[in-house]
Amino acid sequence: MKIIMNKKIIYILFFIGAFGFSQEKASLFAGKWDIICTQTHNIYYNTITDSLSYSDEYRELIPGLIKDYNLKTIDSLNLIVISDNSNNSFEFHENGKFLRKENGNIIQKGKYKLKTSKKIIILNYRDRQNKKIKDFMEYSVQDKDLLLKIPFGKILRPTYFTLRKKV
């Protein structure tokens, strides 16, 4: 009888510990997160170090882009890329809702679900054509930064974001 009682206590403690860990992880995400680094198949931009680089494939397209967009130099293109990637954020709310903003404008709004066992965030939202979208982002935590990986299937390489929680 004593052994059965001890096992029950161990299971209860394990359950409370696991639940507490899960809640702690979920609360880690709540808040506003600034995107401090973006890496796509074309560009890498870090807002902290103000460093910008282009993939080899994209560099080959730059002269055509400068011409197509009536830009004078690559510096003009750099300013556009920096501007597009400088003031972006995610907001995760404890009620399961999220916002994604670019330059202060909401570009995605919906619900998120955290799958801590698989280290995945599931985003449910509607796109600009009001079509339902379900995105999956892999996540990890490094120091106090949240690292997100958004896969795009087999056609494009994934996009990576490094987020820093705004205090």
Side-chain angles (χ1 to χ4, degrees):
M1 186 67 159
K2 216 176 192 185
I3 293 174
I4 293 173
M5 193 63 150
N6 286 340
K7 281 185 179 181
K8 285 183 181 179
I9 291 172
I10 290 171
Y11 285 128
I12 290 170
L13 290 174
F14 176 78
F15 177 75
I16 290 171
F19 180 75
F21 177 75
S22 173
Q23 290 300 315
E24 179 182 294
K25 283 284 202 179
S27 68
L28 167 77
F29 287 84
K32 181 179 179 188
W33 294 82
D34 290 330
I35 299 175
I36 61 169
C37 185
T38 301
Q39 182 178 354
T40 70
H41 60 283
N42 291 330
I43 67 144
Y44 169 88
Y45 181 63
N46 186 313
T47 63
I48 302 298
T49 61
D50 195 30
S51 52
L52 172 65
S53 62
Y54 300 107
S55 68
D56 291 339
E57 298 92 354
Y58 196 69
R59 261 189 253 133
E60 291 177 17
L61 301 174
I62 288 175
L65 290 171
I66 291 172
K67 183 179 177 185
D68 291 346
Y69 290 101
N70 295 319
L71 304 172
K72 295 187 190 288
T73 64
I74 191 168
D75 290 337
S76 302
L77 178 65
N78 291 346
L79 288 174
I80 292 170
V81 171
I82 290 168
S83 174
D84 286 348
N85 290 281
S86 291
N87 186 24
N88 301 335
S89 64
F90 277 90
E91 290 180 24
F92 296 103
H93 300 274
E94 289 188 28
N95 63 2
K97 294 186 178 180
F98 84 95
L99 297 172
R100 181 172 169 206
K101 296 181 179 180
E102 284 185 358
N103 293 316
N105 300 314
I106 296 171
I107 64 162
Q108 292 174 343
K109 176 171 115 174
K111 295 183 179 183
Y112 77 97
K113 195 176 283 188
L114 195 60
K115 297 287 186 183
T116 56
S117 62
K118 295 183 178 184
K119 294 199 173 264
I120 291 176
I121 301 170
I122 302 168
L123 302 179
N124 291 292
Y125 60 96
R126 292 186 178 273
D127 67 9
R128 292 181 179 144
Q129 289 77 36
N130 206 29
K131 180 181 170 194
K132 287 184 180 182
I133 304 291
K134 187 175 198 173
D135 279 338
F136 297 85
M137 300 187 302
E138 298 172 26
Y139 76 87
S140 62
V141 177
Q142 186 177 47
D143 297 323
K144 293 185 179 185
D145 294 338
L146 179 60
L147 309 176
L148 300 178
K149 175 184 175 186
I150 304 172
F152 288 108
K154 297 178 180 173
I155 297 172
L156 297 174
R157 289 172 279 201
T159 292
Y160 298 89
F161 292 118
T162 302
L163 284 65
R164 185 158 295 157
K165 199 168 197 177
K166 196 163 192 155
V167 202

